[in-house]
């Protein structure tokens, strides 16, 4: 199954992957492909589908009901433990993200390719919304 063409069959999303354009692909990406990736597919993906084995990847519950705080000691530990490069350890987990521009929000990462982190962002009353963020814009993150 080629998900970049929005041909349907993606578990939990009848008619294709959320946020896709008519004719396929991801918003802001290369025509028919993944942003920054190879046209027509997911780099490093599992045969016949999306990386991760085809499970329904959208979170089924809201994120924790608190806003994490990160003190100076935690920031130093974060930097020593690999920084933003370690985001893969938070795959399919509620993750609080602090951005360089001052924004902070709950994110549920499902896929990482190059500098793009793809997942769902918590938008309060709107619930989980498909989104992607640039790893270079992330200051800190903490997964729960």
């Amino acid at each position: 199954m080629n998900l970049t063409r929005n041909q349907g069959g993606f578990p939990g999303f009848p008619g294709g992957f959320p946020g896709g354009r008519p004719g396929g692909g991801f918003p802001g990406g290369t025509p028919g492909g993944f942003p920054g990736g190879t046209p027509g597919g997911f780099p490093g993906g599992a045969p016949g589908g999306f990386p991760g084995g085809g499970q329904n990847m959208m979170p089924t519950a809201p994120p924790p009901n608190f806003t994490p705080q990160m003190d100076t000691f935690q920031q130093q530990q974060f930097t020593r433990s690999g920084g933003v490069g370690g985001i893969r350890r938070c795959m399919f987990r509620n993750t609080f993200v602090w951005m360089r521009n001052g924004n902070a929000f709950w994110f549920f990462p499902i896929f990482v390719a190059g500098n793009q982190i793809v997942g769902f962002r918590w938008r309060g009353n709107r619930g989980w919304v498909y989104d992607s963020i640039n790893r270079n814009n992330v200051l800190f993150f903490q997964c729960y």
Side-chain angles (χ1 to χ4, degrees), residues 33-113:
F34 189 82
T38 58
F42 291 94
F50 196 88
Q55 56 189 321
N56 186 355
M57 294 172 258
M58 184 180 216
T60 57
N65 194 18
F66 64 91
T67 301
Q69 303 298 316
M70 186 175 280
D71 61 31
T72 305
F73 177 73
Q74 290 172 309
Q75 292 174 8
Q76 290 170 349
Q77 282 185 313
F78 176 84
T79 303
R80 275 189 235 118
S81 68
V84 178
I87 190 75
R88 282 185 173 85
R89 76 176 187 272
C90 295
M91 299 288 282
F92 307 103
R93 295 172 64 186
N94 289 315
T95 304
F96 199 82
V97 178
W98 290 269
M99 303 294 284
R100 293 189 183 280
N101 66 4
N103 289 344
F105 50 87
W106 285 102
F107 194 73
F108 191 87
I110 61 170
F111 187 68
V112 178

